[in-house]
Amino acid sequence: MKTIVAISTAPMTSAIGIVRISGDRAFEITEKIFSKPLANVDGYRVVYGKIYDGKKVLDTVLAMVFRAPNSYTGEDTVELSCHGSPYILNRVVELLIENGAVRAGRGEFSKMAYINGKMDAVQAEGVIDLIEAQTAAEVAAAQSELGGKISEKVEEVRKKLVSLSADILAYVDYPDEDIADISSEKIEKTVSECYEQINALSLTYGRGRMIKNGVRTVICGKPNAGKSMLMNSILGCERSIVTETEGTTRDVVGESAVFGGVKLEVRDTAGIRDASDDVEKIGVKLAEKELASADLILFVFDMSRKKDENDERVLEEIKKSSAKKIAVLNKSDIAVKTEKTPDFEEFDASVVISAKTGEGMKNLEKTVASLVSDGVVPSEVVMNARQFECLCGCAAALKNALDNISMTPDVLLDDVNEAIVCLGSVTGKGVAEQIIEDIFSRFCVGK
Ligand code: GDP
């Protein structure tokens, strides 16, 4: 087995940076550049010493010692807490490589943890989700993966189905043996219980997807209502975490921002609208493409102008959507006070703001938070698309078994076995190496 090494902290100048080395030869290789012996140091101990680059001292560091199997990877591991100069950190890695270590690939430490049985696929995905978490809800949901709650539930159902499958198989294959009849009531009861459990778990993905990928939020309204300004205002709330999300780490593409403590995936429809003057055509396109898949619609109404047919056209399209809807009454700073604001009764809420001065934005944050999140994250919530697909596969197979429940037991066996395979895939049992590679390739180097 190789001994792997990488910088585990962010690639930038900082007070401290950590180099991690893991594998059978972790202590022996580290000792070659470290001033103190490590071979006889107990696990969970810290040794203060110097790193040598040839005869010269490169850095004074703390070496944290972890002994197999009590480490993140399950192997002997040393974490060198160095001064956070990128030069020093890279040099320490080079020196360890010169002495026999191999540079770790993306997520390779976590992959070792997986191979050594320290975590299953759901927990591994929990590690990535925790690292990437931007909101309290995301942390809570990642903890439900990492803490094994989802895996436990899946495993509990899988074991029930394995036992059922064995019973059916014994009955079918050895009809002459003295094996108790398996009643169709028992099969139906077990299959339907398992179906209920897995279906309920898969339904948490609606919430989980919003927690992880953000609430799909569409800003719409007639030209010049202030959509772009509102968009900028929302993105500006926590600009530091505004990201251009990529397909590799997120399931959807868009601009993401935390607004009122809720992660939003915001789509400003202004761009689409500006592409053409044909409001109606655009309105239809907008309705089909964006509104259909929206979780939240922010309809921007310009209070400085009268409601007109352009507003009506957009409102017609909004009506068809099942998303939560907020009427954002914009330009409060120049609104004609004598003009009565239309009441948008069909909306879940309406908020008066000025995207220009910022007035009312706090109120909008609160309204968004209360509409799309009840603040409580269930103890098990699926937020990973891969896990969700496996659960759906299982639910479909069990549903099929229930539909055919009056058939002979051997007919049901295929569906039950298919459900078992799907559940195994959730936690990584018997899945193709490629899928495991795919999971860990999303990690950063050093994790
Ligand atoms: P969009 O076409 O809906 O995206 O509208 P924009 O965001 O481009 O805004 C159109 C115009 O309205 C611009 O001149 C903005 O400066 C102005 N505007 C937007 N919001 C406000 C506001 O709250 N108050 C005032 N006074 N002007 C605003």
Side-chain angles (χ1 to χ4, degrees), residues 359-398:
E359 187 202 330
M361 287 303 287
K362 279 277 164 236
N363 197 12
L364 183 59
E365 282 190 45
K366 273 191 213 141
T367 309
V368 166
S370 69
L371 267 187
V372 298
S373 141
D374 51 15
V376 183
V377 177
S379 60
E380 297 122 8
V381 54
V382 176
M383 61 171 170
N384 178 289
R386 187 196 66 82
Q387 294 166 24
F388 173 65
E389 276 159 27
C390 298
L391 291 171
C392 288
C394 171
L398 293 178

Side-chain angles (χ1 to χ4, degrees), residues 206-218:
R207 180 79 198 283
R209 174 190 55 78
M210 284 198 236
I211 291 175
K212 184 175 161 70
N213 294 338
V215 175
R216 286 193 290 240
T217 305
V218 174

Side-chain angles (χ1 to χ4, degrees), residues 219-232 268-271 273-274 300 302 304-305 329-335 353-359:
I219 300 178
C220 60
K222 69 181 173 192
N224 278 323
K227 297 179 298 296
S228 304
M229 210 168 228
L230 174 63
M231 169 96 168
N232 289 342
D268 177 7
T269 57
R273 178 168 299 275
D274 291 341
V300 185
D302 182 345
S304 69
R305 289 185 283 167
L329 313 179
N330 190 31
K331 307 197 187 179
S332 63
D333 55 317
I334 54 164
I353 66 152
S354 164
K356 192 168 188 176
T357 67
E359 187 202 330

